[in-house]
Structures are given as C-alpha cells and as structure tokens.
Amino acid sequence: MQYPITGHQLLGFSESSLGKNTFETFNPQTGAPTPWKFCEATDSEVHMAMELATRAFTTYRDMPGIRRAEFLRAIAAELEQQQEDLVSVYMQESGLPEGRARGELGRTTGQLRAFAAVAESASWMDVRIDTAQPDRTPLPKPDIRKCMRPLGPVVVFGASNFPFAFSTAGGDTASALAVGCPVVVKGHPMHAGTSEAVGRCIQLAARKTAMPEGVFSQLQGSGTVLGGALVRHPATKAVGFTGSKAGGLALARLGAERGEPIPVFAEMGSINPVVVLPSATDPTQGWAKAYAQSVTLGAGQFCTNPGLVLGIKGPGWNTFSAALAAEVDAVGSACMLHPKIAAQYQVLRSDFFAQPGVTQMTSISSDGDDTQAIGAVALVSAAAFRKNAGLKREVFGPFTLLVTCEDQEDLVRTLNTVEGQLTASLLGNEAELESAATLISLLGDKAGRLLVNGVPTGVEVCPSMHHGGPFPATTDARFTSVGTDAVKRWIRPLSYQNLPAGVLPPALKNDNPLGILRMVNGQMTTDPI
Ligand code: NAP
C-alpha cells in the first residue's frame, strides 16, 4: 500500500493519534479482524478539526470556482491512481465483490467531476440583479443584487452501505467542497480503513492544488460520542448523514437543540412502494425476475430497495407473487456488510413473519454463517397491513412485503397509510397508466422520485435526479443528496443593496466576468449590464 493505514485522525495536512482507545474493522466474508487498529478521536481532535475548517473557510469560500474544481478533479485523479489499494481495502472491510467496488469507485470519481463542473460554472450562485431606478416615484429604487454563498464548515457522516460513493469522498463531501464549504468527515466505523485510504487521497489532492489547510479533515470513532460532539460543535454549520432513522433523528434533534440550530440533512429509511397494475403480472413481462434481482441486489442493502409491493387480488397477482418468491429463493444467501447488520436483518425478518396475517412465501432454510443472509418474501392482506404500523418499518436487507388489495380503491386507501419515501414505482401498460391519475398524484405526494416500468435500485447521478423525499425518508423533502442539486443544502442567499461596484463579488459585477447566466431586471441573460 502506497500510504499505510495508521488508524490516525487526518487533521488538515497532518495526522493525530491522541485517543488511547482503539477499535478494529472486520472482514465480513471471513469474520477475521483486518490488520489495522483505529484510534478513537478525542474532544480536542474534534476541536482542532473544526478550528482548522473555520480558518480554511475564510479563504476557501472566496476562491474562484475554477480552483475548487481543480481540487475536486485532483481528488478524483488521486482515487484513480490508488484504485488497486482502495479496492482491496474496500473488499476486505465490506465483503462486497470486486465489480461493485470498482463500479462504486467509478461513480465516486464521476460525482467528483460532476461537482467540479458545478464549481466551475458558478451556476449554483443563482444570481439575480435589479438595477437602481433613482427617478422612480414616489420612492427611488435601490440597486439590489442577490447570490448564494456557502454556509461554512460541514460535517459529513460516512454511510455503511456505500464505503466510496456515500462516504469520505462521496456526494455529500463533493457537493459541499464544490460550493466553498470545508468538510469534516466522521468515517463509518465498519470501514474505517477504506475511509482513511480515501481520506489520504483527499489530503494529498488538497496539498497538490494548494488548498487552505483544514479544507478537509476526517475523524474516526466507533460510538455515538464523536458524532454528537461534531454536530454540537459551534463551528459546524450543517450536517450530511445517510443511515438509520434512529441515527438520523438523534442527530437532527442535536442540531435543532443547539444554541445556534443548524440543518441536519439526514437520508434515512425507505421502503420504496411498488404498485403492480394487472397487466404487469403477466409472466411474459418478466417483472417478477427483475424485482427479485432488485430486492436481493447488494444483499438488499440499498436505501432504494423495493421493500413493499402492492397488487390487486386475482390469479395474475397470485402468479406474480409466487414467481417473485421463487426467484428470490433461487438467489441464495449473500454476505451482508457486518454481523450486526445481518443480525438486525434476521431479527426483523422473523418479527415480520410473526405478525398477524403474514404468510411466508419463500422457503428460508438457513442463512449460513454470521454475516450471510438469505432473501425473503412475505405476503399480507391490505386490511392487515393498514392497521399494523410494525409492517411499515424498513427491513434493511433482501426482503420485500407483498400486499394484496381488494381493488383499486383499496390500493389507494392502503397507500394513504404509507409514510414518506425516497421512491415510488408503478408497473402497468399505457392504458392502465392513463387511467391512474389519482394513483400517480398520491405516489407523487409520498415520494421524491416516481418511476414507471422500472426498478428503483440504481440512482442516476445527473442534474434532474432527486434522491430525497418526505419524512421519514429524509429530514427535509426539499433537498437531494444525489445529483448536482445536492449543493443546495450547503448554501444560503445574500442580498447586496447599493454596494459600490468595486466591492461586489465577481458574480454580481456589471461586466459579468464569470460569463454566467443571470437574471437581470427580470430577464435571463449572460450579457454585461
Ligand atoms: P447508523 O446506525 O444510523 O449509523 C450511521 C452513522 O451515524 C455512524 O457513524 C454512527 O456512529 C452515527 N450515529 C448513529 N446514531 C448516532 C447518534 N445517536 N449520535 C451520534 N452519532 C450517531 O447506520 P449504519 O451503521 O449505517 O447501519 C445501521 C442500520 O441503519 C442498518 O441496519 C439499516 O437499518 C440502516 N441503514 C439505512 C440506510 C438507508 O439508506 N436507508 C443506509 C445505511 C444504514 P457509530 O456507528 O460510531 O455509533
């Protein structure tokens, strides 16, 4: 390995190991500990990281976007250069296969470059200029110019289920760095070695592109104390989180209870309902197989995993349900990320099967050893589902619950009892979809992404993507954590009234030196004023 994993905190351009306590990571495939020990970060290291970030902010926020783009591209290049080592550590700590590791790394570098383009274009600044009208009566109109600016240091919690794409150099980090916010990452303790290896690439890229020290730091810890200290620190101005509902809500509460409350953008659980209209139950359409693959993909450890499938009773639905269960059975067991996650999955799955009216459709034999998990499908009537809140919980793993509705009205009544979701899917032919306006509106109320004739797993990274949704899918349905709009979580507007031309930021100057599209006196234009 070119940069050894030391188990130390990465503080600006240096490292630190003040903590006396250590923790380890494990190879989920073998159960064996990895060769590294990681120091638990201390309060004084939290303080140092946040102080460095605060100092870096004063330089980094005003740096030309083109310089921040250089930094993001340098991170991507560094990750690519270290690819072999990174993939090896990732596989040792996650139990995920090589193809997934390489694919996820490609997605991560792609995201970094997409956010580099955002930084460069300055489109995120959303400039509006209303020039003065000194002769207006009865009162003259002042010159007012508005644009977005970064919030300040952002704390990012790495997610367990995406050690590259939603962790140290993932979308939260890339989007915050793009718009001028320094980032302090709390690495996920299940893949601390991967976090360190990636963090070292960011540290190196920051040095190579002459970024201010403190633009990036990373702290590691295996309990809730470190995360709490980071959210409570007065220098923290916003938080990005992906994980459990319990974790996200606890951190959101901490953020709201501070002397100065801050936004905690938490992406939490989702069961991603799927509505199967009668034509889609036809076996020739292949939806049972496609959904079995989607449910079991990555051992079901995706926030977009389809955990709830609703259909209307009849022979078609019966055939579809049996086929989906058979296809899931055929997949066999898969390695989960951690024995704790596998154990939680097994407990929750058994709990679902024990609920009144629930039928087990798959033939669970044995999961295999500690971290192995076998897929499962359960079936329940809409009436039983509606009155049982326990059946609306996320089962993180290869599981889905089928719900049999009496008719379309029963389907709508049932969907009305479902909480906010990241995605909602609809399968059917054109005629069915054209007469499903009520259903489409209802699903639109429930979810952040509505898709037709597809599977929800697989989230495209592009400007039109929304990966968020009404509570409890996230703490704020207005924002996304995937796609270029993810930057909107880390910025705020500032209006400048009657500022002399010389002190206006470049984006607001008359000659438009950045050449960006601006709204000037109500018209979108790139022209100078
Ligand atoms: P998690 O338990 O929510 O933890 C995520 C991160 O937040 C960890 O770094 C954790 O720190 C920290 N954290 C959690 N609660 C905290 C608190 N009260 N105060 C301070 N920090 C806190 O999620 P996980 O470890 O990734 O997985 C556990 C379960 O979360 C899974 O079994 C699954 O149910 C769910 N999950 C859901 C999604 C999704 O996208 N829907 C994704 C991943 C996980 P420590 O671990 O150091 O305590």
Side-chain angles (χ1 to χ4, degrees), residues 157-161 186-190 221-224 227-228 241-244 247 250-251 267-270 303 341 344 394 396:
F157 284 75
S160 60
N161 56 343
K186 192 262 179 196
H188 197 286
M190 289 177 193
S222 66
T224 57
F241 168 95
T242 303
S244 67
L251 296 172
E267 190 226 297
M268 306 176 286
S270 190
C303 44
I341 290 190
Q344 265 175 34
E394 178 189 36
F396 194 67

Side-chain angles (χ1 to χ4, degrees), residues 375-393:
V377 178
L379 180 77
V380 71
S381 71
F385 175 78
R386 279 196 298 272
K387 61 183 181 219
N388 188 345
L391 292 176
K392 293 164 193 163
R393 289 171 294 173

Side-chain angles (χ1 to χ4, degrees), residues 93-111:
E93 290 187 325
S94 69
L96 294 168
E98 185 177 339
R100 161 75 192 268
R102 291 191 191 278
E104 199 184 320
L105 191 61
R107 181 193 167 118
T108 308
T109 53
Q111 283 179 166

Side-chain angles (χ1 to χ4, degrees), residues 240-518:
F241 168 95
T242 303
S244 67
K245 186 174 169 188
L249 286 183
L251 296 172
R253 226 172 282 124
L254 283 183
E257 285 167 358
R258 289 167 34 127
E260 177 199 345
I262 52 165
V264 174
F265 297 102
E267 190 226 297
M268 306 176 286
S270 190
I271 53 176
N272 304 297
V274 180
V275 174
V276 184
L277 295 171
S279 72
T281 62
D282 180 343
T284 62
Q285 304 251 334
W287 285 118
K289 192 177 181 70
Y291 265 84
Q293 283 165 354
S294 178
V295 167
T296 54
L297 189 71
Q301 299 164 115
F302 287 112
C303 44
T304 49
N305 192 48
L308 180 69
V309 182
L310 304 102
I312 294 167
K313 79 171 182 195
W317 173 243
N318 293 344
T319 307
F320 172 86
S321 305
L324 177 61
E327 292 286 356
V328 169
D329 262 341
V331 172
S333 69
C335 183
M336 296 196 83
L337 292 165
H338 195 272
K340 266 198 311 199
I341 290 190
Q344 265 175 34
Y345 166 67
Q346 286 152 11
V347 167
L348 209 48
R349 184 185 61 192
S350 305
D351 190 52
F352 264 64
F353 286 139
Q355 299 295 313
V358 172
T359 308
Q360 183 174 323
M361 299 289 288
T362 35
S363 55
I364 291 178
S365 41
S366 152
D367 284 297
D369 70 19
D370 265 5
T371 40
Q372 295 291 314
I374 206 155
V377 178
L379 180 77
V380 71
S381 71
F385 175 78
R386 279 196 298 272
K387 61 183 181 219
N388 188 345
L391 292 176
K392 293 164 193 163
R393 289 171 294 173
E394 178 189 36
V395 180
F396 194 67
F399 174 88
T400 196
L401 177 65
L402 304 177
V403 176
T404 308
C405 304
E406 293 296 311
D407 48 31
Q408 189 124 343
E409 212 178 289
D410 196 38
L411 179 71
V412 168
R413 200 179 315 128
T414 306
L415 276 169
N416 259 315
T417 69
V418 171
E419 297 179 300
Q421 305 291 334
L422 292 172
T423 73
S425 310
L426 199 49
L427 308 180
N429 62 27
E430 218 167 306
E432 286 168 328
L433 294 170
E434 272 170 16
S435 57
T438 312
L439 202 54
I440 290 174
S441 286
L442 174 59
L443 293 175
D445 285 342
K446 297 283 173 189
R449 177 163 59 108
L450 175 55
L451 64 131
V452 162
N453 291 334
V455 294
T457 40
V459 183
E460 196 65 39
V461 181
C462 57
S464 52
M465 177 49 69
H466 188 81
H467 186 65
F471 182 83
T474 72
T475 45
D476 195 331
R478 293 169 297 173
F479 297 93
T480 178
S481 58
V482 175
T484 45
D485 272 352
V487 300
K488 290 182 176 164
R489 294 170 298 169
W490 321 122
I491 53 182
R492 70 173 176 89
L494 173 63
S495 285
Y496 295 82
Q497 190 166 327
N498 281 343
L499 260 74
V503 295
L504 281 170
L508 300 182
K509 287 192 188 294
N510 276 359
D511 57 350
N512 193 10
L514 303 181
I516 54 178
L517 190 63
R518 311 187 292 184

Side-chain angles (χ1 to χ4, degrees), residues 112-133:
L112 285 158
R113 292 191 172 107
F115 285 112
V118 172
E120 212 162 42
S121 75
S123 54
W124 61 273
M125 294 184 86
D126 194 14
V127 172
R128 283 120 203 268
I129 298 175
D130 292 292
T131 52
Q133 293 173 13

